[in-house]
């Protein structure tokens, strides 16, 4: 995703870790097992019962930005300030699989999904990112995000198995409002990406 201004910060976004449950039999209250849909404390991942995916952002040209050498200002208490935010239109196709592997689409959803930090929320914090880049001149810092889908209710005729058939991600948008280096920045990629 190119910088909006020449010489600015650009981003390489990488989708990975997609979970596409087949068969699809989620347990909305499960914290463990094959039907798990909930994450425990300090667990940030798509679950085997509900599915989802991960995304990492690799930031380019940060060290060449005005203000990179300045000391960090005091942390801002506003949770939307000084943090990277990512969202996308996420399409999912649920349906029923026959014994021969043929798939009949049943439910198609496209929802604007807010992605969440894959690690501690500080991993998407501009001040933490800048501190890591300043501490090691060769380091790359890549904020990681994930989406864990909510369960969808569906049934299939006898002899057919519910399944999440695929994921389609489009209109990827990343943004940050920061006091230092980034200012108000915005990146976009139309996609689509499939899993």
């Amino acid at each position: 995703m190119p910088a909006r201004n020449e010489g600015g910060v650009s981003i390489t976004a990488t989708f990975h870790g997609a979970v596409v449950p087949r068969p699809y039999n989620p347990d909305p209250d499960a914290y463990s097992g094959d039907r798990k849909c909930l994450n425990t404390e300090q667990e940030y991942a798509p679950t085997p019962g509900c599915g989802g995916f991960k995304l990492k952002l690799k930031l380019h040209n940060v060290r060449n930005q005005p203000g990179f050498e300045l000391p960090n200002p005091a942390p801002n208490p506003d949770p939307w300030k000084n943090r990277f935010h990512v969202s996308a239109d996420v399409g999912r196709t649920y349906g029923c699989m026959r014994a021969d592997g043929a798939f009949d689409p049943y439910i198609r959803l496209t929802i604007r999904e807010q992605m969440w930090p894959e690690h501690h929320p500080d991993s998407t914090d501009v001040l933490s990112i800048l501190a890591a880049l300043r501490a090691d001149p060769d380091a790359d810092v890549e904020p990681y995000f994930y989406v864990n889908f909510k369960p969808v209710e569906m049934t299939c005729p006898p002899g057919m198995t519910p399944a999440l058939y695929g994921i389609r991600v489009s209109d990827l948008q990343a943004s940050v409002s920061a006091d230092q280096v980034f200012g108000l920045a915005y990146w976009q990629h139309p996609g689509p990406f499939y899993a």
Side-chain angles (χ1 to χ4, degrees):
M1 297 188 288
R4 297 184 81 76
N5 301 312
E6 187 175 345
V9 175
S10 62
I11 291 177
T12 299
T14 305
F15 285 91
H16 63 106
V19 178
V20 183
R22 297 180 194 141
Y24 183 77
N25 185 22
D27 181 347
D29 300 317
Y31 283 100
S32 62
D34 293 342
R35 300 177 61 208
K36 165 183 173 167
C37 275
L38 300 174
N39 284 314
T40 57
E41 186 177 354
Q42 296 188 359
E43 184 180 28
Y44 314 99
T47 56
C50 280
F53 61 90
K54 297 180 180 184
L55 172 85
K56 72 176 179 179
L57 302 179
K58 185 171 184 177
L59 309 175
H60 306 285
N61 203 34
V62 177
R63 290 181 178 89
N64 295 325
Q65 300 307 304
F68 177 76
E69 297 299 332
L70 297 175
N72 277 346
N76 192 309
D78 182 346
W80 286 96
K81 189 83 169 178
N82 284 333
R83 294 192 186 278
F84 280 86
H85 300 276
V86 179
S87 65
D89 290 337
V90 180
R92 293 175 271 162
T93 301
Y94 298 87
C96 301
M97 294 192 80
R98 295 195 284 267
D100 63 3
F103 180 78
D104 291 335
Y106 179 68
I107 299 173
R108 287 188 173 95
L109 299 173
T110 298
I111 299 172
R112 188 80 192 166
E113 294 274 5
Q114 176 72 41
M115 299 180 200
W116 304 104
E118 185 184 334
H119 304 294
H120 189 278
D122 283 351
S123 66
T124 65
D125 179 70
V126 166
L127 301 184
S128 297
I129 290 168
L130 293 176
L133 290 172
R134 290 169 179 142
D136 182 349
D138 298 319
D140 287 323
V141 178
E142 300 173 331
Y144 285 79
F145 297 84
Y146 80 101
V147 172
N148 182 43
F149 297 138
K150 291 181 171 60
V152 172
E153 289 187 26
M154 60 174 292
T155 56
C156 289
M160 300 183 77
T161 304
L164 171 56
Y165 186 72
I167 302 170
R168 180 184 190 273
V169 179
S170 59
D171 192 22
L172 175 66
Q173 296 177 6
S175 64
V176 66
S177 175
D179 294 323
Q180 200 174 49
V181 177
F182 294 95
L184 181 60
Y186 173 82
W187 300 265
Q188 186 172 21
H189 193 290
F193 306 92
Y194 296 94

